[in-house]
Amino acid sequence: MKSIVKFVVTLGLISAITGGALAVVYNITKPIIAAQDLKTLNEGLSKVFAGDYKFEKLDKPLQSIDPNLTIGDCFLVKNASGLVDGIVITVNSPGSQGLITMLVGVKKDGTISGVSILSLSETPGLGANADNPTYYVNKSTKTTFLQQFIGKSFKDAFTVKQDVIPLTAATITSKAVSLGVKIALDIGHSYLEEAGK
Amino acid sequence: MSYLVNLAKIFVSSTIINNIVLIQFLALCSYVGLTDNLSSTLGMSYAVIFVTVSSGILAWTIDHWILIPTGLQPALQITAFILVIGSFVGLVEMYLKKASPNLYKAMGIYLPLIATNCLILGVTFINSIHNYDFIESVVSSFGVPLGYMLAMVMLAGIRERLRNSEIPQFFKGKAIAFMITGILALAFLGFAGMIK
Amino acid sequence: MRDIIISVLTIGGFGAIFGLLLGVFNEKFKVEEDPLFKAIYEVLPHGECGACGFPGCHPCAQAIAEGTVPLTACVVGGDEVAQKIKKILAQQKAMSMN
Amino acid sequence: MKKKISIFWQAIIPNNPVLIIEIGLCSVIAVSNSVKSALLMTFAFSMVQIPSNIIVSSMRKIIPNEIRVPVFVTVIAAFTTITALISRAYFTAVYEAIKLYILLVVVNCIIIGRAEAFAYQNNVFDSFIDGVGNTIGYGVVLLAIAIVRELLGKGTLAGIQILPESFQPVLIMVLPPGGFLMIGVLVGVLETYLRKKEGKK
């Protein structure tokens, strides 16, 4: 009987202390991390929709059409004269070791203006090359893995090895990224279609 | 109907196509260590299946009922999951010590190592990344350790046959096990892409 | 502040529940460890290296206690460990004789 | 003092965590395809292994034997998350570099292996030495494999082009099966070396 009490107290107490310490550190670092994330978000937005655009966050993220992929914040892209030129959608797609969070810019004509990765935790040297600015899928034109999506339209198939050149030895990551881009494109395009009417 | 197809897809992909050992390369510590005889392999696989399924279910409930609504997921997720897994391993250790001492003896150091076994934590992470609902995560928590068992039994079988064949002195013991695992991993690469 | 309470209660709560479960399991599945095995296990270097052919020091100590392997089974421990085991075995024999 | 050096030396060659005890393989296979990742992984590994050995060893008196596993893993996991959060907030450059490896370190069997086999039975200073020894033992193996895999797989070494352009890279070396073959060779080399040493003694 005595050992039961000893176990409950030791394990309970140590877990409570670790839980408390985790929460304290999390609360202290949360604002700083949030500020950093905002900075990366803004950089990503300007990369995806180059030019002087204003980004207006929608109050409710759009509905995902694939259960495995979750949609984050969406931003309406307004040009200098206040007209809507497109939409940027945050999409989380499951990679091999973790979630890949991407910003996908969709123009009014249903083509992709740009893709940028906010966070990913793929295998270094293999999957991580998706975000590597010096890793070229097409050496002659020096286009990186993400740049190959620019200009593709919602009519394309987005299948790896056919109209999407994969990363060497990282098919899971390549599929995850192209699926994420395709879903974001479909959702964005249909949203813009309704908004346009 | 398509929900059942989806479940079947998850099951097949977790056991064979994304086999945790040969494709995702997790849980290698106990995989190579224990496969010199078949009995400890099977014993280990049953223990891993039990701990994975029970941890998978509890981890999913913690994640969806406590961590996500309170927004504490980035801070507590790893610790909460590992506490659950470590405790289940503790329970299995006590049960095995009593129920089948020789199996407990055969597993030795590898039993506590299941706790940080990349496989179980891997499964809880896969369930959380793929945003599985309850039933899907149960299927995946069952499929992944089955894939582990499949890979282990294959290697154990091969190594048992190797015992009565002459291997060069250099490769005796664990070195040949790594070579075989490398070749098995190559074979399993063939499955990639079976599911669209 | 709310986060801290929630996380202390969650992790602490589950820790306590599992402490209880582990305690009950420990009582229900009590196994009297044979003292000889315990003494030998204490002496082994716990490198868990498997050089003796067993997956870890627990099974190796068990085998030495049962006598299925020579007391020099622990390769890494070398003769320093072997001497200690010999002393333990000698004490054990002396105790069981009188 | 001699005992201290022997703990240190044990952890690097005779009791090398990766090649002899064969734990921590998951991260070795995944990360050893380039020298840069090998070095960053060893750095991330040291940030968790050394402090965790110290914490576990300082708590060893108050933890009953039966529940040592849940307590160790919880403390190690919590400690890793705290290091990750702090480094993400205050040392962003470092965090960006080792972000991918932190997840691999939490899952790494060496840390719980050393906590269970060594830190639970020895005092804090010895555990610290064992932690450092194991980090070096781990790092040396990782580097050895990474050098060969990157040279054959990409023809470069730490990103610098070594082999001439005409060299057709052996893709399998970059793929995980290549990692297995490399570990197999290294285990063979080390065991023959130890067997010869045994024979001579």
Side-chain angles (χ1 to χ4, degrees), chain A residues 149 151-159 163 182 185-186:
Chain A
F149 291 105
K152 287 177 87 68
S153 97
F154 62 94
K155 299 190 203 65
D156 295 339
F158 284 91
T159 33
D163 59 334
K182 179 176 171 38
L185 179 58
D186 294 346

Side-chain angles (χ1 to χ4, degrees), chain A residues 1 3-4 7-8 11-12 15-16 18-20 23-24 26-27 30, chain C residues 1 3-4 7-8 11-12 15-16 18-20 22-24 26-27:
Chain A
M1 187 43 203
S3 75
I4 295 182
F7 288 178
V8 172
L11 196 50
S15 316
T18 25
V24 165
Y26 182 55
N27 277 348
K30 199 155 67 165
Chain C
M1 197 43 211
D3 290 354
I4 299 171
S7 106
V8 166
I11 307 286
F18 277 114
L20 185 70
L22 285 162
V24 166
N26 192 25
E27 290 306 318

Side-chain angles (χ1 to χ4, degrees), chain D residues 1 16 20 23 28 33 46 50 68 76 87 95 110 127 133 138 142-143 145 152 157 159 163-165 167 176 191:
Chain D
M1 192 45 205
N16 183 292
I20 299 294
I23 46 177
V28 169
N33 46 29
S46 65
I50 299 169
R68 67 194 184 294
I76 294 170
S87 65
Y95 178 74
I110 296 181
S127 305
Y138 177 72
L142 213 56
L143 213 58
I145 299 178
L152 292 181
L157 210 55
L163 297 178
E165 208 43 59
F167 168 72
E191 267 177 19

